[in-house]
Amino acid sequence: MNATVTTDQKNLSSSLSQEVEKLTVSAQEALSQLQNNQVEDGRFTGWYNFPKRKGFALADEISSYVDSIDFAYDLVVVIGIGGSYLGTKAVVEATKHTYQGIVPGTKPLVVYLGHHLSEAEMIETLDLIGTRSPVVDVISKSGTTTEPSIAFRLVKQSLEARYGKKEANKRIIATTDPENGALLKLAKKVGYQTFAVPTDIGGRYSVLSAVGLVPLALAGVNIRQLLEGADSIFTELETEALAKPCLDYASFRVAAYQSGKKIEVLAYANPKLMYFVEWWKQLFGESEGKGGIGLFPTGLGITTDLHSLGQFLQEGDRCMIETFLSFDEQPYSVGGIDKVLRVPATEDEDGLGYLESKRVEVVNQAAVEATQIAHSDGGVPNVSLTFPVLDERGIGQMFAFFETACAVSCLLMKVNPFDQPGVEAYKKNLFAIMGRPGYEDLQKELMNR
Ligand code: PA5
């Protein structure tokens, strides 16, 4: 049996390939530690194998809840930041119509709040909410993060003014810590529907828990297929030979870092993956960037960024490695109907006659190959990761693959994959600067600075 994901490492120098090969032994040990719950800070490994242990039962519970909603909604408002919204946005953008909720026959529209503090953007989102029939999922593990808390107050105020408290409360779901926190306290007091953020899963690893499953079910995503995809990877990881692509990728990153590389570029050839890359950036950046080490994760959209960052990739400082994300199949299906686009035959002033009747996706794949060769020639070590297909199952596979690869990479770099002391520092400073009770000493210190 072949592994679901294939890796192509032909664009690595033989010395880097040898280092990768050597590291895969330690990578296998790190994976075993993860599987046997033997990592040092093992409190946050609940995401590993989550679908089988809890996810499928949870998906049934969430689907029943969504089916029981007794008002018609055409807008899902997802309030959260970082790990509390990026995975959801990644799946919605990758698997649903880009203009869902706008193109007739597709709904609901999905919008996001609580991931910024821009008044201008909030005003416009609130304007939109006022024109639609919304359901709101406020997601915060801690229940105290400033951005989603402010956004939630605003949305709650707007809903209560429009519908009255009783109807507004029916439209609000709180996804938060099951035992503690301000959001849980409020939800219990006023009777919001609640779902739990598992205490053993950190934000950036939480997309397959209620954090992602609830808003995704509301948005019409097939959450069972998402979990099936992830589960298929966790099952493969049990077999050493099938785990190899994941271990090779983790080893490639670490070997490249040890050889002096500083940046990993994740290249993708479909704008529908932009938010998957944002999710990936948080996963690797927050997990690995500690104690003065780690590869800085960034993205490259093919072909858009070839007309901007492409110059740097080709000829700038050779500080980066590149990982190409690709798929065996590129079908496009709307409502069960497959669609393809071919370059039309027309007057040939633009000189594109040689492309006539070729699928646009064929040109897109050629652009990826052209880029891989150009960047190899330019001295950027690169690998390709190929997943079967970009659908709910496929993106579930991608989550499980990258979460595992990330944890393994961090363990190889001797970094705790599951804490984020740097994020906490900013959160505390913001509390202090804005005068939150209990932060008086820090406020004085910061004001002096
Ligand atoms: O991965 C993480 O832990 C963070 O990015 C959190 O997801 C983010 O800070 C939001 O935290 P919370 O869900 O507690 O509001």
Side-chain angles (χ1 to χ4, degrees):
M1 191 179 139
N2 293 326
T4 300
V5 190
T6 53
T7 47
D8 180 341
Q9 304 185 57
K10 68 174 178 297
N11 290 332
L12 301 188
S13 65
S14 60
S15 60
L16 186 54
S17 288
Q18 279 166 16
E19 290 309 310
V20 173
E21 194 54 42
K22 273 191 224 154
L23 270 172
T24 53
V25 178
S26 313
Q28 178 60 57
E29 283 164 16
L31 176 62
S32 304
Q33 274 178 26
L34 199 59
Q35 288 167 327
N36 300 321
N37 214 358
Q38 288 165 340
V39 294
E40 211 170 289
D41 189 354
R43 287 171 299 152
F44 294 111
T45 50
W47 55 273
Y48 193 85
N49 225 352
F50 184 81
K52 213 172 255 121
R53 289 189 298 102
K54 297 185 180 158
F56 289 117
L58 176 64
D60 289 343
E61 189 194 322
I62 291 169
S63 299
S64 307
Y65 165 71
V66 171
D67 290 345
S68 75
I69 293 178
D70 62 359
F71 57 92
Y73 65 88
D74 61 5
L75 181 71
V76 179
V77 183
V78 182
I79 301 179
I81 193 164
S84 290
Y85 96 106
L86 281 170
T88 297
K89 191 159 180 174
V91 179
V92 170
E93 298 219 339
T95 64
K96 306 305 282 184
H97 197 294
T98 301
Y99 303 104
Q100 170 163 297
I102 299 171
V103 167
T106 62
K107 62 178 189 177
L109 183 63
V110 185
V111 294
Y112 305 86
L113 257 184
H115 57 290
H116 61 80
L117 286 169
S118 157
E119 229 176 80
E121 175 88 12
M122 287 185 200
I123 289 167
E124 292 180 2
T125 312
L126 288 165
D127 280 349
L128 175 74
I129 294 171
T131 67
R132 295 270 182 150
S133 172
V135 60
V136 177
D137 189 7
V138 52
I139 308 160
S140 177
K141 182 170 184 180
S142 60
T144 55
T145 308
T146 308
E147 295 91 332
S149 301
I150 291 178
F152 179 54
R153 278 189 177 224
L154 290 164
V155 171
K156 178 172 173 292
Q157 179 188 49
S158 139
L159 259 54
E160 287 176 356
R162 184 166 156 203
Y163 295 109
K165 273 190 186 263
K166 200 167 160 221
E167 170 72 13
N169 291 354
K170 270 175 52 180
R171 289 176 179 263
I172 295 170
I173 301 160
T175 305
T176 189
D177 186 285
E179 284 149 26
N180 297 302
L183 184 55
L184 181 73
K185 212 163 135 196
L186 173 68
K188 280 189 174 157
K189 188 170 148 199
V190 301
Y192 298 148
Q193 170 71 37
T194 56
F195 287 96
V197 182
T199 45
D200 58 354
I201 302 183
R204 59 192 174 275
Y205 291 85
S206 68
V207 57
L208 299 174
S209 74
V211 169
L213 297 183
V214 174
L216 289 171
L218 292 168
V221 168
N222 188 328
I223 55 173
R224 200 156 237 291
Q225 284 180 7
L226 186 74
L227 291 175
E228 281 167 7
D231 188 49
S232 69
I233 292 290
F234 288 125
T235 304
E236 286 186 4
L237 290 169
E238 300 293 322
T239 308
E240 212 171 309
L242 299 182
K244 196 163 173 357
C246 186
L247 302 182
D248 279 350
Y249 170 60
S251 304
F252 160 60
R253 304 181 68 262
V254 177
Y257 179 71
Q258 288 172 351
S259 78
K261 299 297 179 188
K262 299 286 180 213
I263 295 173
E264 180 182 8
V265 178
L266 187 62
Y268 59 103
N270 180 348
K272 290 174 81 64
L273 281 168
M274 186 184 280
Y275 266 83
F276 179 80
V277 175
E278 291 301 310
W279 171 87
W280 172 90
K281 278 159 63 175
Q282 183 198 1
L283 178 69
F284 281 84
E286 219 170 65
S287 298
E288 191 175 80
K290 288 162 205 166
I293 66 165
L295 285 165
F296 182 82
T298 189
L300 181 86
I302 295 174
T303 63
T304 312
D305 293 336
L306 298 178
H307 298 259
S308 58
L309 293 175
Q311 171 59 37
F312 195 108
L313 264 289
Q314 197 62 46
E315 295 181 349
D317 188 333
R318 304 296 72 194
C319 55
M320 76 283 281
I321 58 168
E322 199 170 11
T323 300
F324 285 87
L325 196 52
S326 54
F327 300 89
D328 283 325
E329 286 180 53
Q330 304 278 352
Y332 185 82
S333 168
V334 194
I337 302 166
D338 290 341
K339 286 193 173 181
V340 296
L341 291 181
R342 293 182 187 280
V343 179
T346 180
E347 294 86 357
D348 199 26
E349 271 68 23
D350 58 7
L352 288 188
Y354 70 102
L355 293 179
E356 267 175 31
S357 79
K358 289 210 166 23
R359 274 193 63 187
V360 175
E361 201 50 54
V362 169
V363 186
N364 198 23
Q365 288 317 305
V368 172
E369 283 161 31
T371 308
Q372 285 169 327
I373 294 168
H375 291 179
S376 298
D377 292 347
V380 180
N382 63 77
V383 298
S384 293
L385 298 178
T386 305
F387 289 82
V389 62
L390 183 56
D391 57 9
E392 274 102 331
R393 278 183 66 84
I395 199 159
Q397 289 167 339
M398 288 154 69
F399 284 136
F401 180 93
F402 283 108
E403 285 174 0
T404 307
C406 178
V408 169
S409 289
C410 290
L411 294 172
L412 289 178
M413 292 209 199
K414 309 229 176 312
V415 160
N416 180 343
F418 307 123
D419 65 356
Q420 55 283 329
V423 179
E424 302 309 322
Y426 139 78
K427 285 187 181 180
K428 279 187 199 142
N429 286 353
L430 179 58
F431 287 156
I433 291 169
M434 294 306 296
R436 185 180 166 126
Y439 288 79
E440 293 77 7
D441 290 348
L442 183 58
Q443 186 183 44
K444 261 189 225 144
E445 187 199 316
L446 295 180
M447 287 311 167
N448 285 336
R449 286 166 64 186

